[in-house]
Amino acid sequence: MTRDLLSPAHTGCLQDFSSRYTRTCRLDAEQVQSLLYVLGTTLKANLNRSAPPKTKYFSVKCTDNVQYIISPLPQASSYLSPVRLKDNSVLLITMKEASTQENDNKLSVWYYAANKKVLDKAILHLTAVDISLDVDADRDGFVEKNNPNKNAWKWGPRGHGAVVLVNCDSETLYRRKPDYKRERILKSSDVKDMSPMVLRTKGPPKLPEGYKLVLHISQSDGENIRVFITSGERYPLVLNSEVLSKEIPYLGTDEIMFYVEGVSFPDKDFDGLVHINLSLLEPIGEGIPETPIFTDTVVFRVAPWIMTPNTLEPVEVFVCSTKDNYKFLSSMQSLVDRCGYKLNICYEYMNRGDRWMQDELEFGYIDSPHHSFPVVLDSPRNGKLDDFPYDVLLGPDFGYVTRVPSRKDVSSLDSFGNLEVSPPVTVNGKHYPLGRIIIGVAFPTASKGRNMTKMVQNFLWAQTVQEPIALYSDWLEVGHVDEFMSFVPAKDRKGFRLLLASPDAGYKLFKNLQNDGHGDAMLFEEIPDQDSISVNEILDDKQLQAENNYVQSCIDWNRDVLKRELGLDDEDIIDLPILFKLLEYRGQYRAAAYYPDMVNLIVLGRNLGIPKPFGPQVNGVCALEQEMVSLMGNLGLTCTFIDDFASYHKLLGEVHCGSNVRRAPFDFKWWNIEM
C-alpha cells in the first residue's frame, strides 16, 4: 500500500486532493503545455510516461496558487532534493483560487540523470476557473453554492436533491393551454412555476481559445423537462426534446440564471428523476471534435400530484346547476355559506345536463420548496362535463392534468367517485404522512369485471407518495368506492373515522324499531309519487335480506383490506345503517342504495352534508337521521340533511357524487417522506 506525500511548501491542504473529479493530464518535456483547470478537481500526471530516457530523479516547482502531491511517498530526506523516479510515480495537482488572467500560474517538473544532472524539464502553464451549476439541493427555497449532494436524490428530512414542478397551469386565459405546451414564456410571472438553476463562474474575463461551456441533457430527460435562460427581460428556450445541448456563454466572474420546467408527471415509464449536465469542452485541433474535461451534474425530481383527504380544510365547493336540482342547489348553498366557504356553480351552458361533479375530476396539488398550486386531475369518463376542468379551472396558478386511454378501455370505474384518499396513517411502523389513495376494481377472481383503466392506475402508482390501495367495488351498479365508504375528522384516536355502509346495521336498526312497536313506520312518506314501505315489509322481504347479506359480505371484504392497509382497529370504523338492492342489467346483478346512501356525504370541516334518507318516522323524527346524528355527534360533527332523492338518488348518485371540494394542501412536505 502506497502513501501520498504532500509537498512541504503546501502542507495542510491534503483534503483538496480528495475531489470526486480527477482528470488525467499530459506533461511534455519538448514543448510548454497550457491547461485549463477547474477548481475542486484534481489533475493527475504520470511522471514516468513523460520523462526523458535515463531519468532517475525528478523535482517539482510551482507558483503559490498551485498545490501538488507526489505518489508514492518519497523518503522524508528527499523533501528538498530530487525524488527518485519510479514506474508508478504520479503527480496530483490542484489549485487554490481562480485565475485573474490566462496562464497566470505555472508548474514545472525537472528531470535528472543518475548523477543529478538536469536532463530536461516539462512546463505546465495553468489557468484556473471556478465553474458550478447550482440548484436548491437542500430544499430550503434558495440556490446554494456547489452543494456536494446536488447530483443525487435522497428522500427524508435529511435528504437532498432539487424539486421541479410540472408547469401545468396557464398564465394567460387567452387561447388557454398548459404553459409547458407553449413555445415560449409569455409572462415573467411564469418563471415562479419553474425551478431556478444558476451557473456560477469565476476566473479570467474569457476562456482560452477554443474552450466551450455546453449545457446538455439526455433524450429521455428532454421529454420530461425544458430549460430557459434569462436574457435581459426575456427567457429564451435553451433545452427541450428537440434541442438536447446548447453552448452557454462564459462571462468571467458572473452568474447566469436558468429556469427549469417540468413537462411530464411521474408515470409508468418515468420515475420522476431528471439530470442536467454542464460540460467544459477542450479543443484538440482543427477538424477534431472537442473533448469534455469537466462535467457538473444536477438532479431534479418532478413533484408528484397529491390528493387531499376529507380531514384537510376546505377552500371552495363545486356543484352543477341543472333544470331539476334547484332544491339540492339551494340546500348546498345554505350549507356552504353557513360554513364560510365559497360555492362555485357550474351552470347548464357548461355542464350540458351532466350533474356528476365528483365523477368528472379530482382536486389535488403540486408542491416545491419555492412554490405550489392546485392541479385538477380530469377523469377519462368524457361526460358532458368534460370541458369544465380545462375551460374553467385551468388558469394562472391552477394546473391541469389528465390521462386519455382508449375509449374501449374506459368504464364507470374510471369516474372519480371511484378515487378517494385516506387521511395520514401509520401501518406496521410505516408512516404515510399524506395518506393512501383508494381505488375500486373488480374482484380478483372475476373474468369479466370492470376495472379502472391501467393508464390511470399507472399514473396514480407512479406518484409514489400516496401508495394506492385497491378495493373491490365492481359489485356495485355504478362501481364507486364512495358508495360504501368515506372518512370524517375526529379529535381522538387517529384523527379520523372510517365510515362504512352496513346492511347489518340497517337491519339491526329496523328490528329494534319493530321490537319497540314501530313496525308500521313508513319509509319515503314525504316523497311525492314514491311508494312508501313499512319497516315490517322490509323485514319480511327475504329476497331483499338475501341481497343485503351478499352486499355485506362484499363490504366486509373491503373492511378487512382497509383495516390491514390503513392500520385500523374496529374502534376506528363506524357502521352506518344503509340497505341496498340488486339491479339486473344484461344478466349481471349489481347493487345500488335502497334509500339515499348516507355514507356518500360531503365533509366541510366539522360540518357534514348528508343525503336525506327519508327513513321511518318515529314520533315525527326520521330514525335513520337520528342514528346518524347520534353517531356523528359523538365526534363533535354537525349533520345537515340534503334532499337529493329525485335529482341524484334516483339516478344512482348522492350528495358526494354531485359535489366536489378543493382543499388546502398538507403542511407536510412530500420530499420529507422516509422511503
Side-chain angles (χ1 to χ4, degrees), residues 328 355-356 478 524 527 530 578-581 583 592-598 600 611-614 642-655 657:
F328 169 84
R355 69 197 67 211
W356 307 113
V478 177
F524 311 137
I527 304 173
Q530 177 68 34
I578 299 166
L579 300 187
F580 292 79
K581 59 187 175 182
L583 305 177
Y594 188 83
Y595 45 79
D597 185 355
M598 294 184 293
N600 194 272
K612 184 176 179 62
F614 294 99
I642 296 172
D643 180 359
D644 71 354
F645 195 93
S647 54
Y648 290 88
H649 172 71
K650 292 185 75 172
L651 300 175
L652 303 184
E654 309 288 358
V655 171
C657 304

Side-chain angles (χ1 to χ4, degrees), residues 194-208:
M194 306 179 191
S195 294
M197 179 175 72
V198 181
L199 170 59
R200 294 182 170 108
T201 57
K202 186 176 182 181
K206 64 178 183 177
L207 294 175

